Amino acid sequence: MTQVTMTVNGKTVSGQVEGRTLLADFLREDLRLTGTHIGCDTSQCGACIVHVNGNAIKSCTALAADLDGAEVRTIEGMANADGSLSVIQQAFQDHHGLQCGFCTPGMVMTASALLKENPKPSEAEIRAYLEGNICRCTGYHNIVKAIMAASGQDVSAIAAE
């Protein structure tokens, strides 16, 4: 067992982990932060995306022991300080960017990373950036619309599909 300490959503946390413990499992099982979903365990679906030291990563392939001292942000840490939804979360709600919701935490975390890199992405840029995220319900159209809206772009001309 290895002792790990990291900052998760602004709070310092510690725990004992086996060397093979994935970050996704540490977050879900040890810290009870169940918003990070595990969909495939093979880094294909993107449901487990979190931010580590400011970068979006798939937590189903990162070892918790390797992240000692890291700063981690999960979907639970995306809300505003007063508990209200972040701009991205609100845009997903306003533009129906979710159906079953399973992929939504990973999509929101990916959208946040994209908007950090590219504050005004085009529809094509958003679609390309989402290639590592799988949604089986929405067809992506409203997710793209939500991300464009979160970036402050006018989406009124984008027809609903």
Side-chain angles (χ1 to χ4, degrees), residues 142-153:
N142 287 341
I143 293 169
V144 172
K145 190 175 181 178
I147 295 169
M148 289 187 81
S151 74
Q153 297 181 69

Side-chain angles (χ1 to χ4, degrees), residues 82-100:
D82 66 1
S84 63
L85 297 178
S86 70
V87 170
I88 297 168
Q89 292 169 309
Q90 189 64 55
F92 268 72
Q93 180 178 346
D94 292 346
H95 296 281
H96 311 290
L98 59 103
Q99 283 185 12
C100 81

